[in-house]
Amino acid sequence: MSIHINDQDRELAPGIYWVGDPEHADNLYCNPYLILDGEEAVLIDPGSPLDFAGVLANVTRLISLDRIKYIILQHQDPDFCASTPQFEQQGFKGSLATHWRAAQLIKFYGVTSPFYIVNEHHLQLSFGTGRTLQFLPTPYLHFPGAITTYDPASKILFSSDLFGAFSPHWTLFADEQEDLGLSYKEAMLAFHEHYMPGSDILHPVMESFLNLDISIIAPQHGSIIRRQVKTYIQALSTLECGTFLTPIKKDLSRIDGYTGLLNRVLQRYYALYPKEEVVATFAETMIHLNPEDGLIADYTCTGRELWQQFFQFIYSKNGISWLISVEPLILHFVADYELELPKIFQSALLSLEKTQQELHEENKLLREDKRSLEENLQQVEDSLLKCPLTHLHNEVFFMRYLNAECRAFHQGQSAGSLVAISPDSMAHINQHFGGTAGNEVLKTAALLLEENLDAQHSLFRLEGPVFAIHLPGVDKATAAAYAEQLRYLFQQSERFIEPITVSAAVVAFSGFSPAAGENADLLSAAVYKTLRSRLQEARLRGGNTLCIDGEPAKPVLGKVLLADSDRAHLQILQQALEDANVTVLTTADGQAALSLVLRELPDLIISELLLPKMDGFLLRERLRQDSETDQIPFFLVSFLKDQESIQRALTLEIEHYLRKPYLVTELTGLILLKLRRKSR
Amino acid sequence: MQLSWELLYATLLFLAVLGCIGLGVLIFFKLRHQRWEHKKTELLQYLAQELNGGHPRRLLSFASSHPKIALRLLLELSQSIVVNQESHRHLITLICSTGIEAYYLRRLQSPNARKRMDAALHLSALPTGNTCLALTQALRRETLSNVKLHLCSALVDVGHHEAIPDILRTLPGAPQWYRTRVNMLLVDFGDYLRPHIPSLLTGTEPEIESLVVDIAPFYPSEEMHQYLLAKAAQSRPDIRYRSVRILGQLYPRELASPLFFGNTNPIIRNIAIDSCIHTPTEEVASSLIPLLADPRHHDHAVASLSNMMQSNPRLLEFFIKQFAVAPPQLRNSLATVLSLRMDYLLLRLLTNQGATVRPLVEEIIRQGKTSGLIGFLNRNRHLEMENEILDMLRPMIGESAGLRRDIRQHLQPRLLEKLGENPFHPPTVPRNPEIEKDKLIRLLLLLPVAFLTSPLLYSLLHWQEWVGWDGITHLRQFVLDFNYFLAFYSLSINGTYLLLLLFSWLCMSNQAHLWRLKKQTFLFKPRSVPSISVIAPAYQEEATIVDSVQSLLSLHYPNYELIIVNDGSTDHTLHRLIAEFQLEKVDAVIPVRLKTRPIRGVYRNRHIPRLVVVDKDNGGKADALNTGINVSQKEYFCGIDADSLLEKDSLLKLASMIIDSPSEAVALGGNIFPVNGCTVDNGYITDYRLAKGFLPRLQTIEYLRAFRAGRLGWAWLGSLLIVSGAFGLFRKDRIIEIGGYLTSSERYKKDTVGEDMELVVRLRRHMTEIRQPCSVHYSYNASCWTEVPESLAVLHRQRDRWQRGLIDILYFHRRMLLNPRYGRTGMLAMPYFFFFEMFGPFLEVQGYIMVVLAYFLDLLDPFIACFLFIANILLGVVVSVFALAISAREFPSFSGADSLRLIGYAILENFGPRQLLSFWRVTGYWNALRQTTSWGKMTRKGFFSAPSDTPIAK
C-alpha cells in the first residue's frame, strides 16, 4: 500500500518536518520528526532499521547529517532508537538527548555519540539561535524515563507514545481519518488502553497538558493531531486504562452493565456504518432501539442473554465484518468486566474470513456520510465523558455543560438552578463496610436520584461523592423545595446498607448578574465555586441539611413556639417565658403549629404530644422533612409518657420529653439553657 | 271514660310547670358554665401574674372569696403544671384557712362512697399535715376498692410517703384491676419506696410478688436482680414470665445463657428470644437461628431477628451469608426475616453478589412476601434491573397462583405485558342473601295481629252492643275509640320517655361526677385505661376519608391504633389515603380469628405507626369490622363510621368508664350528634353550630331525645341494647368469642343491616348464657359527630334500613323476648323494642288515619282534641325540652338562640314529620317482608372544609 504525502503537508510548521516513510506504514506506524533552526537541526525519534532508508532520504533531502546537533530519544524503545547507530555510521556527529534512565538502556544499541542528559540541563535544549525546546517528563507512560518534547515557538508537542494510535488505515493527520469515516480518537483510546499502565498515571499528565498552549500534537505512532487538540487531551484525561495490569473495573456492578456496554458498541457501529443499516439490524428483534438516539430502549430477556443475542443479530444480518470491526472493544469489555465472550466471536469463521472481509469493510466505510459521522463522533465523545461507576456524565462534561448554560444565561436566557447532593457518611461506610459498599452507595444514590428526575432535569456525577442536577428554568425556591424533597428521600430510604443522609446545596443562576463584558467562563466558574462552597457549608452545619445561601443561618434570639390545646397551661407557661425575655408564639393545634413554624422559624418548639389535627410526633416528623425546621430543638410535654412513646421520641430526636405535671421552673430553665447555648 | 276536663286542665298545668322547669334548668346550666369560664380566666390571670411576683394580694383575695372555685382550678391546673412552689404553698395555706379543708375532711367520713371519693380528690390538691393524716386514716377504714384507689392516688399526690405501709397492706386479697393501678401509683413515691423494698422481697403473698415484679424495672439493684432470677426459676407462671421479661429488659445478656434459652418451658424460651432484640450481635443471632426450625419458637425468633436486623444493619450481611449455608428448613424463615430489606436485596441482584442474593429473593417471593418486590418494580426505572427481576419472576409465576394473583393485581400494566400477563381486578361478587322462609312466615303471621288488635279491643269493649248498633254507628264508635287508643298509646310512650329521662338524669349526674374524679395524670398512667383499636370501615368515602383519618389520628388517648378498612370501594377512597399518608403496602400476617372476605392488602407508613389501612373485598360494614378485629392488636376495639368525627377526648371519656364499671364492661356507646352545621377543619370541629336545613335540625332534636332520654336511661336500667355503630367500644376477646359481627362469612351465615344493635343483643345473650355478669354502658359526654341525611329520600332509606335491622334482630333473637332467663334485657328492653318500636307504628299510623277520619266525620270534640294534643304533642315537647336541658350540662352545647330554635322544631316535628317517620316504619316492615337486605345509598356531601384535592401522584 502506497500513500503519497504532499511536501507541504510534511512541513508541520516553519522548519518542522515529518520525515517518516509512508512505505512502511503499518498498524503501528512510526513518526520521526526533524526541526531545522538556522544552521542547526534536531532529529526526534529517528526510528528503526526497517524504515531507516526512507527516513535517511527524507532527512538528507532537507539537511546534511553532520549539521544535526542532537537526536532526541524520548524513550528507549527499539522502534525509535534502533536506527541511531546507523545514523552515526552515516555521519551523525551530535549528541543524544534523553532522560538519564533511558540513557542507561540506549547504550545497549551500541551507540557511540555522547549523551545530553536532559535532567542535567534544566529539562531544556537550546539552539544556537536561542530557541529552546522544553522536555516534559511523563514518567511511567509507558517507561519510567519517558519524556515528551514541547516546542514553544511552534507550540508543537512531540508527545512520544502518548496520543499514538493503532492505524490500520494510516493517514498523516488525524482529521484525515475522519474523511475515511474512521475515528482517530477511538483508535487512540484503544492504543492507550493497551500500552498505558493506569489512569492514575495518565490523568495528571493530561491535566498538565490541558494547561499547555498546544497547536499540534505530533505523536510517535498514529497520526498527527492538528485540530481540536483539547478534545483529544480530554478524551485521555477521562480514559480508564491499565486494565490488564490491575483490572480496576472488576468489581463494577453491571447496574448499567450490558445495556451500557452494548450502547457503546452501538455507538461504535454508528461511527463505522450508516445509521440506517445499524438500526435495520435490530428491526423485528426483541431489542428495541430508541428512535432518537439509537440506543437500546427496551428488550425482553435477561442482560446475559442480551449480550449473546445482540451479536447473533449483528452476525446474521451483516456478516463477519461487523463483528471484526468491534472485536477489540468486545475483548476489552470481556477483560474489564469479567464477562463471557459472546459465543459468535469464538467461532472459527472469525479468523478464516478475517482477511477477506477487511477489504469489504473498507469499501463500506468509504460510503459513510460525512455529516452523520460528525454527529456520531460527538456521541462517542459524550460516552467518554461519563462516570464509569454511575454512568452519569462526569465533572468534565458538567463543566462543559455549565459553560454552555452560562453562555445561554449570558445572552439573557433563563438558566434555572443547580442542586448538588452529597452523601454525608461516605468515609464511615467505606471504613465499616469496605470500598465496594461505598461504590454501591454511590450507585444506589444515582439510581434513587434518577428515579426522582424529571424529563428536563440533567444529572451529573462530579468529582468526589457529589451529584449535581440542573433544573432548567426553575427558580431558587422551587429548586430548594426539590432539594429538600431529595434530602428527605435519602433520609427515609431503606435501600442503603445503613441509613444515610445527604448534604445538599442550591445555586440559582439568577443570583449572578450577567454583567456586561463579563466572561461566560468566569460566570460558570463562579457558579461552580458557589455550589461547591455551599455544599461544604451544608456539611459543616452537620450534614443532612440544605444550604441555599453562603451565610450560616442566623439564629433569631429567643423565639419559642408553644403548642397545646390546654389554654390554662399555655397561659401560665407563656407568662413565665415572656418574663424571661423570650418571644412566645402559641397555638392550639398541630396543623397551625406546623404552619407557624414554617412561617416564623422559632428557635425552639415546645409541644404537647396529644395535639388536635396533628399529634406531636407527626408534627416533628413533618418538621424533619425540612432541614431548617429539622434543626429546631423540639421539647415534648405530655400526660402520655410510656416506653413506646419515649422510644418514638428518641428516634425522632426529640431532646426533652417531660411528663405532666412538671415544674415550670424546670422547663423554663431548660429552654433558657438551650437558647443561650444556641446564641453562643 | 273516666277522664274529665278538670283532669285535663291539671295535666296541662303540670306539663306547663314541667316545661318551665326544663327551661329553668337549661338557663341554669348555661349561666353556671359561663360563670365557671369567667372565674377560671380571672384566676388564671392572677396566677400568671403571680409568677412574676406581681399581685399576690389579688390572687389571695380571689381565693378567699371563692375557695371552692379556686380549689377546683388549682386541682385542674396542677395536673399539667406546677407553678412557683412558694406561691403554690401560699395559695394552699390560704385556701385551707377558709375552712374548705375542714369541709372536705368531714366529707371524707361520709357514708356516701361518691362523696368520699370526691373529698379524696379535692384533698389531693391540699398537701397539709391534716390532709395526709386524714387520708391515711380513711384508707385504713375504707372497704370499697374503688374508693381505696382514689385515696391512694390522693396520698401519692400529696406525697405522704409515711402512708406506704398502709397502701401496701391494702394489696393482699384486692382485685387485680385495683392492684395493677396501685402498683403503678407506688412507683410515684420514687426513692421513698426504696426502704420498703427489702421487706417486700421477703414477702410471700402472690400480691406482693406481683408488686415487686411490677416495680422491679424502676428500682434496679443486685438484690432485685437475684430476686427476679429466683422468681424466674420458680414461682407462679405469670410471675415467672413477667420476671423473665423484665430480666430481658434489664439484663439482656443473661438471657442468652442456657438458663433461659435451654429452659424446658417453651414460653420462657420465647420470652428469652423476644429479649434478644436488646443485644443485636452476630453471636446472639447465630444462637437464635437454629430455633427458627422449632414451630413453637418460629414466630418469636423471626420477629426478634427482624428487630435485631433493624437496629444493627450489619447483621444483614450476616443473615445473607447464613441463608446461603442454612439447611432447607431454616431457609424460608431466614427469607422471611430478610424480606424486610427487599429493596436492598433487589439492588444487589446485578452486582457480583447476584448469585448469592438471587436464591434468597426467590425464596422470599415463594414465601408470599411480594409487596416489597412489586413496589420496587413499579418505582424502578432501570431497564436492566427490571429485566433481571422479570426474568426471575417468569418461571415462578407458573409455580404459584398466589404470586400470579398478586402480580396481576398490583404490578403496572407495562410490566405485566412484558411478563405476558394481563391486569386483574377482582370482581365484586354480589352478595345474594338467602331467603329465610321461616322468618317470612312469622312476619306475615304477625301482620294480621297488628291490624286486628284494635278491632279486637273494640269488640271486647262493645260486645254488648255488637248486634244492637248498625254499621255507621259502629264505624263512628270505632273511630272515636281509636282516637282514645292513640291518645293512651301516646301517653304511655311519652310517659316511658319521661321516666327514662329521669333515669338519664341520675345516670348522667353519676357519670359527670365520676369523670370529674378522674385526673388526666391518673388516666395516662400505664395500664390505667385499656389499649384500643379504633376500627373505621370505609366504603365510597373519598369525600371525607382524609379529614376523618386526620381527626382520628390525633385523639387524646394514651394507647390506641387506628385501623381503616376499605371495604372494596370502587372510588378513590384507598388512593386518597395512600397519597395523603404516603402509605406503602406491607406484608402482614393477619390472624384469622373471624372469617371474612379476603384481604387484598395492608398499607402502613412507618412514621405513623398508629395507622393501619386494610384493603379488602367488598363484604358490607359488618364484614369490614370483623376484618378490622382480625387486624387489631389491642384489648378493646372501637367501631366507628369513617364519616364520623370524634371529639379529641371522646375516646378517653368512653374508655374511662371501664375503670368504674362494677362488672366486666363488654360494650360502651357514645353520643351521636349531627355534624352538618359545624365547621370542620382538617377533621377537627372548630365551630359547633346547629345544622342549617330543616331535616338536619329535626334530626338534631330527635338524636338529642334518643340519646339523652333513651339510651342513657336504658343504661341506668342496665339493659341498654343499642351501641351505635358510629361510635361504640367493645371488648375484643368477647366479640371474637361470639363470632364478631353478623356476616354471611362468619358462623351464622347471615347478613343483617342492623349489625350494631344485633352485636350487643347477641353479646348480652352470650354473657347470660355463660353466666358472666357484664355491663353495657353509655357515656353522656363522649361525643361523635356524624353527617345526617339532608334529603328526604336518603333519610327514608336510612330509616327503612333501621327498621328492617330492628325487625331482623327481634326475629333472630326471638327466644330472648319475655324470657325471664335473660333478666331485664329479656323482660324489659326486648319487649319495649317489640311493642313500641316494631309494633307500635302500626297502631300509630292507624290512629292518625282515624283522627283524620274523625275530623271528617265531625266526631272530634274539643275534649278529645285537647286530650290528643296533650298526650301526643305537648308531652312530646316537654320530653324534648328536658332532653335539651340535660344536654346543656355538657359543653359545647347549643347557644341560647339555637336552643330556642330547637324547641321550635320540637313543636314543629309533631305536625307531619313524626307521622311520616311512623309511616316509614310500617313500610319498613313491608320491606323486611320483601327480604331486601340492601343498605341503601347515602350521598356524602363532605365536611365543610377547604377542598383538599391533592393529586394522587407526587
Side-chain angles (χ1 to χ4, degrees), chain B residues 624-680:
Chain B
L625 282 164
N626 282 348
T627 309
I629 294 171
N630 282 342
V631 175
S632 154
Q633 298 189 324
K634 310 283 178 184
E635 267 175 88
Y636 275 71
F637 79 88
C638 171
I640 91 151
D641 281 352
D643 61 330
S644 311
L645 301 176
L646 290 189
E647 272 171 36
K648 75 179 167 90
D649 51 2
S650 291
L651 195 59
L652 190 62
K653 283 175 176 166
L654 195 59
S656 73
M657 294 182 70
I658 296 171
I659 304 176
D660 306 310
S661 176
S663 54
E664 184 184 321
V666 284
L668 304 100
N671 270 324
I672 316 289
F673 280 127
V675 75
N676 298 43
C678 301
T679 318
V680 176

Side-chain angles (χ1 to χ4, degrees), chain A residues 310-377:
Chain A
F310 183 88
F311 296 102
Q312 298 274 5
F313 292 136
I314 294 280
Y315 179 67
S316 61
K317 282 271 170 60
N318 305 310
I320 195 84
S321 68
W322 283 51
L323 290 186
I324 292 166
S325 58
V326 295
E327 192 193 1
L329 182 69
I330 303 305
L331 290 173
H332 179 74
F333 285 160
V334 166
D336 279 2
Y337 295 98
E338 294 188 314
L339 306 177
E340 185 190 353
L341 184 69
K343 290 202 178 65
I344 195 81
F345 280 94
Q346 295 162 346
S347 140
L349 277 173
L350 203 62
S351 49
L352 284 176
E353 290 190 13
K354 206 168 188 173
T355 37
Q356 182 198 340
Q357 292 295 328
E358 265 176 4
L359 282 168
H360 181 62
E361 184 190 338
E362 193 181 353
N363 285 336
K364 266 190 173 174
L365 287 175
L366 285 171
R367 278 186 269 117
E368 289 284 323
D369 172 50
K370 193 178 174 186
R371 203 178 60 81
S372 83
L373 239 173
E374 274 172 1
E375 186 186 304
N376 294 330
L377 274 170

Side-chain angles (χ1 to χ4, degrees), chain B residues 310-331:
Chain B
Q310 298 285 47
S311 53
N312 179 6
R314 263 191 265 183
L315 279 177
L316 176 67
E317 294 298 329
F318 174 70
F319 288 156
I320 293 175
K321 279 194 206 107
Q322 291 295 311
F323 177 81
V325 297
Q329 69 268 27
L330 293 182
R331 283 169 82 92

Side-chain angles (χ1 to χ4, degrees), chain B residues 79 212 329 361 435 478 610 672 786 862:
Chain B
Q79 288 177 35
V212 176
Q329 69 268 27
V361 172
I435 305 296
F478 181 70
R610 205 170 258 176
I672 316 289
T786 191

Side-chain angles (χ1 to χ4, degrees), chain A residues 483-508:
Chain A
E484 281 292 4
Q485 194 189 335
L486 291 179
R487 186 193 62 78
Y488 184 66
L489 197 72
F490 273 93
Q491 187 183 323
Q492 301 304 316
S493 177
E494 288 191 333
R495 291 198 190 170
F496 299 96
I497 184 134
E498 63 170 24
I500 69 161
T501 56
V502 293
S503 294
V506 170
V507 170

